[in-house]
Amino acid sequence: MIVWISFLAAVLLFLALDLGVFNKTPHIISSKEAGKWTAVWVTLSFLFSGVIYWLYGNHYISNPDGLKPVAASIKFITGYLIELSLSIDNIFVIAIIFSAFRIPQKYQHRVLFWGILGAIVFRGLMIYFGVLLINKFSWTTYVFGAFLIYTAMKMLFTNEDEKFEPKKSFVYKSLKKVMPISNHIDHEHFFVKRRHITAATPLFVALVVIEVMDVVFAIDSVPAILAITNDPFLVFSSNIFAILGLRSMYFFLANMLEKFAHLEYSLIAILTFVGLKMLLHDFIEMPEWVSLAFIAISLLTGIMVSLKMSKEEEKEAEGNN
């Protein structure tokens, strides 16, 4: 428990410093600033794999699967890359939500900050129950595997023209029924008082919609990482690092999301791979490096193809003009 408490305390300390020191004054986060923070979080995540090696090598944390230090480190990195790759879709949806509710750029960080706190709680609960189900009912592994493959096929064959519309969503409509909603943004406040009525501002509405959508995405991402390991600490820590890096990655990619439109095929490949791994775990045992290599290659290929296709589309557009 000391390790768990220390990890959570470190996360909460950083979040406190983030809001109270680094981003005390609301401001527009530039791509350069976001790029630096993205690099910091990715670096910290990979360095934490060394901490994992140390923890498991010295038996400072419970090790239900009897993992060797190297295997634990590889599983952490693999899980982190899975969560990071599946966060790309989340970034697209966050951009749509901010646009729909017209959230000014300088207040977007505050919304995402509180969104992360909620995501930590919900992910923790989902991981706890997911691990509990797999350990108690081994057949749930097949259910999760089949669900991931279904999700991948749905992504592959879904009409690209179908876009998420926040103001037509069930969450927004339900929220309007239970509380007054104002169209007025009052600085960084989530609620405003108008004629003795306390109403939610667009910032709060956006926060709730983002929170619910994160839970929806977690339904895919949590089973995906459980295909790699059901060690609670590895699953939770890799999730948290991916979530903490999501904000800076959003601001870094916000202005060039269209360039990564073809990255979805990488996500389909990753979901299919981990789904098959769950379905065939009793028949095929893969070395740890195989999963890591497949996910890393899928991501790199998706990024390279997306950037190449984006350049070709830009050239075509210039040629037509």
Side-chain angles (χ1 to χ4, degrees), residues 167-302:
K167 289 192 174 181
K168 292 183 179 180
S169 67
F170 173 77
V171 182
Y172 178 69
K173 290 177 180 177
S174 300
L175 201 61
K176 283 188 74 174
K177 291 178 181 178
V178 298
M179 65 171 63
I181 293 177
S182 170
N183 292 321
H184 177 70
I185 292 177
D186 185 13
H187 300 291
E188 55 183 6
H189 299 139
F190 288 121
F191 296 94
V192 291
K193 279 195 173 183
R194 292 287 181 271
R195 296 178 182 176
H196 308 292
I197 296 173
T198 301
T201 67
L203 266 70
F204 181 77
V205 179
L207 171 63
V208 173
V209 177
I210 287 172
E211 206 67 75
V212 173
M213 292 309 298
D214 181 73
V215 172
V216 172
F217 281 110
I219 293 172
D220 294 337
S221 64
V222 170
I225 195 173
L226 290 175
I228 304 302
T229 178
N230 56 7
D231 182 301
F233 186 72
L234 294 179
V235 176
F236 184 71
S237 58
S238 57
N239 254 271
I240 296 307
F241 271 99
I243 291 170
L244 290 174
L246 180 62
R247 286 172 310 160
S248 54
M249 189 176 291
Y250 165 77
F251 291 111
F252 180 60
L253 297 176
N255 298 322
M256 47 180 170
L257 285 175
E258 291 181 1
K259 292 185 178 180
F260 295 93
H262 301 282
L263 195 59
E264 188 172 7
Y265 294 104
S266 294
L267 308 186
I268 292 170
I270 291 170
L271 285 174
T272 303
F273 173 79
V274 294
L276 288 172
K277 186 176 179 182
M278 293 187 98
L279 290 175
L280 302 174
H281 75 282
D282 284 333
F283 310 99
I284 301 173
E285 189 172 342
M286 295 182 187
E288 306 302 335
W289 62 267
V290 172
S291 298
L292 178 58
F294 181 88
I295 291 162
I297 291 170
S298 296
L299 273 175
L300 289 173
T301 303

Side-chain angles (χ1 to χ4, degrees), residues 127-195:
I127 289 166
Y128 173 77
F129 287 111
V131 171
L132 193 68
L133 281 172
I134 284 181
N135 288 334
K136 196 165 186 178
F137 308 104
S138 57
W139 53 266
T140 54
T141 302
Y142 299 107
V143 176
F144 287 156
F147 177 73
L148 290 176
I149 293 174
Y150 165 75
T151 302
M153 294 303 102
K154 188 178 177 183
M155 288 174 67
L156 183 61
F157 296 109
T158 297
N159 187 351
E160 290 184 2
D161 294 330
E162 293 179 12
K163 291 184 179 179
F164 173 65
E165 296 185 45
K167 289 192 174 181
K168 292 183 179 180
S169 67
F170 173 77
V171 182
Y172 178 69
K173 290 177 180 177
S174 300
L175 201 61
K176 283 188 74 174
K177 291 178 181 178
V178 298
M179 65 171 63
I181 293 177
S182 170
N183 292 321
H184 177 70
I185 292 177
D186 185 13
H187 300 291
E188 55 183 6
H189 299 139
F190 288 121
F191 296 94
V192 291
K193 279 195 173 183
R194 292 287 181 271
R195 296 178 182 176

